[in-house]
Amino acid sequence: MEYQSRVVDPLLKDLLSGLPAIAIEGAKGVGKTATAQQYASSTLNLDRAGVRSNVEADPEVILGMAPPTLIDEWQLVPPVWDVVRREVDRERIPGRFILTGSSAPASGARLHSGAGRIVRLRMRPMTLPERGVCTPSVSFSRILAGEAQPVAGHCEFSLRDYTREILWSGLPGVRQDPPGYRLRQIDSYLTNSVEHDIPELGVEVRRPAALRAWLTAYAAATSTTTNYTKILNAATPGDSDKLSRVTAGVYRELLERMMILEPLPAWTPVFNPLSRLAQVPKHHLVDPALAARLLGATEDSLLTDQIDGGISREGTLLGALFESLVVMTVRVFAEQIGGRVSHLRTRNGDHEVDLIVERDDHRVVAIEVKLSNSVSAADTKHLSWLTESTDDLVVDRLIINTGQFAHRLPDGTAVVPLALLGP
């Protein structure tokens, strides 16, 4: 399959020009290896048994390969991490190593953090621009920089199109198959995560069905702050043989290490002019397609709101999944330029801002997500509250929606359809 350029490419190229070792991290299937191979001169695939056994016998064999050397799935032979770290200490040659991995090493492996030697770079599933659905007309990096760019553009992309993109996934290996076969790929991905990848980390999954039920309940809580007790209760309602709270916590931690779960943290302002902010995360999977498949969602059932999932939420499941797609997208764009992404909610729930993107100087872009093709002045209520409550902290305000035209409202709020938002 021809390589599809990714948002992370320019940053990876720049880092390799000045730093000796880059670790590309992300869930399985997001495209780490394919991207790294564009820059590598030699490759060690440690998921191949023969290669792995040779490197296990002598991890320093990696030092004799042509740089940049790609060490794929490095966590399968954890000692290579320390070999890279020591080599960087010995001689800091830019572009020497690229490490890719989809989890931390198995329990019991003791490694140096790599701080000051190995720079970590996160990859996620493909955003809409990477999928080629529309040509973006609004640059998120320019918005975060506070530049006075025109907000304009048009894309014939409908609510049904967004629904299909949610279901069809941003995982490159899934998207290469015809739409009718993608669901089988996602099913396989979920099954392998539960029955193979967690045991690979050294933890036995004694009841895969119970874990799958918990993961389904977590999917139903997408874009909410539902507490974990309610998620556990929703997993097996009325079933006394459910996962214990402790066991569910262990699996949750492992799924976060595998980067399958990606909760969105609550915003904690450094210069805190706000009080009564809640500190609970919002729940998200790495790709909303996984959540949709766990819940058995189809295009029609999402558009007609026929799926409940046992978790109470404001709005529809499609709205929650669209918000999750926006969160994934904004994370991809923001992290390439050093932005930190979180959400804001007051303790009593009277104010909520779906996304806060914070710059190094602690000024922010505030974002609301609307599953709607039109926006009214009432939709800016929480954005206006934040702007008025924090003096000059807010650089810009966005409403990301499912319309066809990008524009600014009279109060200056940018309205940008997701399909028109680019890096």
Side-chain angles (χ1 to χ4, degrees):
M1 183 176 63
E2 183 179 352
Y3 178 69
Q4 173 65 48
S5 296
R6 305 296 299 272
V7 171
V8 76
D9 280 328
L11 178 57
L12 177 58
K13 183 178 181 180
D14 178 64
L15 293 176
L16 287 170
S17 71
L19 297 172
I22 310 298
I24 305 176
E25 301 177 326
K28 285 185 182 296
V30 298
K32 302 181 299 296
T33 302
T35 293
Q37 285 176 333
Q38 307 308 304
Y39 304 91
S41 296
S42 58
T43 301
L44 279 169
N45 299 110
L46 298 186
D47 57 350
R48 296 179 179 176
V51 174
R52 184 166 63 250
S53 62
N54 288 333
V55 178
E56 285 173 336
D58 180 12
E60 292 195 357
V61 299
I62 67 173
L63 303 180
M65 303 186 68
T69 301
L70 167 58
I71 307 167
D72 190 34
E73 298 294 352
W74 71 266
Q75 77 279 357
L76 298 178
V77 186
V80 301
W81 180 272
D82 283 329
V83 171
V84 170
R85 177 179 60 85
R86 288 193 295 269
E87 183 65 9
V88 170
D89 279 341
R90 189 186 71 82
E91 190 173 17
R92 297 183 70 88
I93 301 174
R96 184 76 187 278
F97 300 103
I98 308 172
L99 301 93
T100 61
S102 50
S103 70
S107 300
R110 298 177 62 87
L111 295 176
H112 188 281
S113 68
R117 288 91 164 178
I118 305 172
V119 171
R120 299 172 186 265
L121 182 62
R122 175 67 68 91
M123 278 192 73
R124 293 185 169 85
M126 300 171 76
T127 61
L128 295 188
E130 291 169 311
R131 304 178 198 185
V133 302
C134 279
T135 301
S137 60
V138 179
S139 165
F140 185 80
S141 62
R142 293 182 64 187
I143 284 178
L144 188 59
E147 296 182 19
Q149 64 167 318
V151 174
H154 172 240
C155 178
E156 295 285 346
F157 207 68
S158 68
L159 181 60
R160 188 171 289 274
D161 292 322
Y162 282 109
T163 305
R164 288 172 178 163
E165 286 302 326
I166 288 169
L167 294 169
W168 289 351
S169 174
L171 299 173
V174 173
R175 293 191 65 83
Q176 70 180 348
D177 293 325
Y181 296 91
R182 292 174 184 174
L183 295 183
R184 290 185 179 273
Q185 284 274 33
I186 297 171
D187 283 338
S188 177
Y189 185 98
L190 290 165
T191 299
N192 286 336
S193 296
V194 170
E195 299 183 9
H196 174 73
D197 297 340
I198 289 180
E200 195 176 74
L201 292 175
V203 176
E204 180 183 1
V205 180
R206 296 182 179 179
R207 297 163 54 210
L211 174 53
R212 177 82 176 228
W214 182 90
L215 193 54
T216 300
Y218 185 95
T222 292
S223 300
T224 75
T225 57
T226 304
N227 68 54
Y228 289 113
T229 298
K230 290 182 180 179
I231 291 175
L232 182 58
N233 290 338
T236 47
D239 186 354
S240 60
D241 191 31
K242 65 181 67 177
L243 293 177
S244 71
R245 185 175 302 179
V246 172
T247 301
V250 170
Y251 288 149
R252 184 178 76 242
E253 180 183 345
L254 290 170
L255 288 164
E256 287 187 21
R257 285 172 57 190
M258 293 159 55
M259 291 161 273
I260 299 294
L261 304 187
E262 285 214 288
L264 182 68
W267 182 46
T268 305
V270 173
F271 305 110
N272 191 354
L274 303 173
S275 59
R276 304 180 297 106
L277 293 185
Q279 293 302 311
V280 291
K282 274 191 175 183
H283 306 302
H284 293 279
L285 280 88
V286 65
D287 188 330
L290 302 181
R293 188 56 182 160
L294 284 162
L295 293 164
T298 65
E299 188 177 321
D300 288 337
S301 69
L302 286 175
L303 288 168
T304 56
D305 194 28
Q306 295 178 14
I307 297 178
D308 175 48
I311 297 289
S312 61
R313 71 171 69 83
E314 296 180 8
T316 65
L317 176 61
L318 179 56
L321 295 174
F322 177 70
E323 180 177 332
S324 193
L325 180 62
V326 172
V327 169
M328 183 198 80
T329 300
V330 171
R331 277 174 151 164
V332 170
F333 295 164
E335 290 178 7
Q336 308 313 304
I337 48 177
R340 296 172 296 278
V341 186
S342 54
H343 78 96
L344 181 155
R345 183 182 177 89
T346 53
R347 288 175 189 161
N348 61 2
D350 55 348
H351 291 292
E352 181 174 4
V353 178
D354 294 324
L355 287 163
I356 299 288
V357 184
E358 187 172 11
R359 307 189 316 195
D360 284 340
D361 63 2
H362 306 300
R363 299 186 71 193
V364 304
V365 169
I367 303 172
E368 287 280 6
V369 181
K370 297 293 180 186
L371 187 75
S372 171
N373 61 7
S374 63
V375 171
S376 68
D379 294 321
T380 68
K381 177 178 67 174
H382 300 298
L383 299 176
S384 298
W385 163 80
L386 180 63
T387 302
E388 294 164 2
S389 302
T390 56
D391 296 325
D392 294 327
L393 198 64
V394 178
V395 174
D396 208 340
R397 314 186 312 187
L398 271 71
I399 296 177
I400 298 178
N401 72 343
T402 56
Q404 296 183 354
F405 296 92
H407 60 283
R408 282 198 184 270
L409 298 175
D411 69 356
T413 301
V415 178
V416 184
L418 180 59
L420 289 175
L421 186 66

